[in-house]
Amino acid sequence: MAKVTIQQLQKMKEAGEKISMVTAYDYSQAVLVEKAGIEVILVGDSLAMTTLGHEGTTALTTDEMIAHIRPVVKGAPSPLVIGDLVFGSYNESLSQAVHSSTRLIKEGGCDAVKLEGAHPDVIKAIVDGGIAVQGHLGLTPQTAVLLGGFKVQGKGKEAGLQLLDDAKRLEEAGVFSIVLECVPEELGRVMSGLVDVPVIGIGAGRYCDGQVLVLHDMMGLFDRFTPRFVKQYRQIGKEMVEAFMEFKADIRNGSFPSEENVFTGFSREEADALFEELKSHGVHQDR
Ligand code: KIV
């Protein structure tokens, strides 16, 4: 697959072709996503929970984000790779936001950055700095405390209109796409029609221009909770536990390693000579 560009994503929206996006956090995951022909990879700050075991996303640092972007970029040359700006790395000043974004691009090697919330001034500064930005509206996990927890956002006329206005402002600021998380389906539909850039939904209904899921959620690899909007395509976690249990049983009953897993380096005569030599040193071993 040729490298996916933001222009191609725009054309897909215009042609009514749905865009697929998934998170990945390391080389092996990226290789698999590349093979599946998914258009966009998000190295999401969800990695704080799925991969580093934190309770939420706020503890993640830019250095940690960069360390995860790098192997993803190596494993997936074709998809557009987006790095998430971590909590606290873009809200102090415009120059801090541009600096953090530049680090993700320069040190991580991703193609674009994503940031949560209605911050058109910050987005404009980053875009003016020559970096492609994806917005993220609706449920924004970094600031979930302010939103009353992990809840559906944009319910009702006022909240809905506010989100639509935010989307327009993000578009004017120069985003190439918007992630819309956990909102009523009607809002996902209206927003996708309202803005020209692709709206990628996660729990935002069936009518968005594309969909994104967290890899661990869709593959059954995250054991703490599974949001209702997730479709679990596989239960890889369960399969892995079963495989580990088989491995343990094989070791205990001696069926692993078997003949095909071992190396031989001695002829019969050499082995005899070795054991004789050992005997002369007082070491007696059964063959
Ligand atoms: O960090 C992440 O994985 C995300 C997705 C939920 C869109 O932001």
Side-chain angles (χ1 to χ4, degrees), residues 7-35:
Q7 290 76 10
Q8 187 178 331
L9 299 178
Q10 185 62 43
K11 281 200 183 120
M12 285 177 76
K13 169 166 180 148
E14 283 157 17
E17 227 180 291
K18 301 278 187 183
I19 298 163
S20 46
M21 169 165 150
V22 71
T23 65
Y25 316 109
D26 67 25
Y27 176 80
S28 57
Q29 293 166 358
V31 166
L32 301 176
V33 178
E34 163 90 24
K35 282 187 183 167

Side-chain angles (χ1 to χ4, degrees), residues 236-258:
I236 308 281
K238 192 167 157 272
E239 279 195 39
M240 286 177 77
V241 173
E242 284 164 10
F244 290 137
M245 287 166 71
E246 269 176 51
F247 174 58
K248 180 178 174 178
D250 283 357
I251 293 169
R252 290 250 172 123
N253 67 30
S255 59
F256 178 81
S258 67

Side-chain angles (χ1 to χ4, degrees), residues 23 25 42 44-46 84 114 116 136 179 181 202 212 214:
T23 65
Y25 316 109
L42 170 67
D45 64 355
S46 49
D84 232 352
K114 173 171 86 59
E116 292 186 9
H136 184 157
V179 165
E181 180 164 356
I202 172 161
V212 54
V214 168

Side-chain angles (χ1 to χ4, degrees), residues 46-81:
S46 49
L47 79 86
M49 298 167 77
T50 60
T51 307
L52 302 182
H54 293 299
E55 284 297 320
T57 57
T58 51
L60 197 70
T61 66
T62 295
D63 284 342
E64 286 171 326
M65 176 51 73
I66 289 168
H68 285 270
I69 294 172
R70 277 188 185 145
V72 168
V73 169
K74 286 188 193 143
S78 310
L80 188 86
V81 178

